[in-house]
Amino acid sequence: YLDPDIVVYDTLERIDALLDSHDVLLTPHQTHPETHMNDIIHNEICSLQHGAYNFGFYAVKNNENGLRFARWWRDRLVHFCYDDIPEGIFTDQKWGDIVPAMFDGVFILREPGYNVSTWNLSNRSVTQDPEGRILVNGQPLQFYHFSGFDSGAQAEMLEMYGSGNPVLYQMREWYIGRQNEEGQETLG
């Protein structure tokens, strides 16, 4: 599954290969401890509130264990897919926190090129090589999650963590252009 605000930049063959030996793939919001108090508050505490894993992406193998997970998750979301952070629920994501404890075959995909977004830019360096390929910590960008456009959080967090990175701002401008081409101004 890919959220509609995710853009795929490279092949997803690695995901397909991982499903040969794993039943559920998840990507965490954070993959490295933060070192600055502001980043701890904006990123680590935010992950504690909203979920350790970002469910803008997940992959499930079509086998007994994968389907058992998918049915469990569906059943929880039918009744409890809403925002109630004080009670420990945040839409579909908080349920993911207990998935590795409850299901076998779960793989946590920590590679820097997957599910890149403003919430993990504090530990990911986004650059562009001479051929125009976008890299994250020197590895190809697989997909970027343009989360938070409707609320304005994407612009705010990009300003905070993009540090004026021209590659990130070019990606943002391209995304806005694509949204407009698809009727975002009218349908959004």
Side-chain angles (χ1 to χ4, degrees), residues 61-77:
K61 187 175 194 170
N62 186 13
N63 67 8
E64 183 179 338
N65 188 51
L67 293 174
R68 190 168 65 89
F69 156 75
R71 284 190 291 273
W72 169 86
W73 193 50
R74 175 206 59 205
D75 292 346
R76 296 313 176 267
L77 299 186

Side-chain angles (χ1 to χ4, degrees), residues 10-22 25 57 59 107-111 114 139 142:
D10 205 338
T11 177
L12 300 179
E13 291 174 359
R14 172 108 169 96
I15 291 169
D16 192 44
L18 286 168
L19 287 173
D20 287 340
S21 55
H22 305 283
L25 306 181
F57 161 81
F107 183 82
I108 311 304
L109 184 56
R110 294 179 177 92
E111 295 171 30
Y114 293 87
Q139 298 178 26
Q142 303 300 315

Side-chain angles (χ1 to χ4, degrees), residues 80-101:
F80 304 105
C81 187
Y82 52 85
D83 182 346
D84 189 355
I85 291 173
E87 291 298 319
I89 295 175
F90 181 75
T91 64
D92 58 343
Q93 287 189 159
K94 279 297 283 181
W95 291 102
D97 289 359
I98 59 177
V99 169

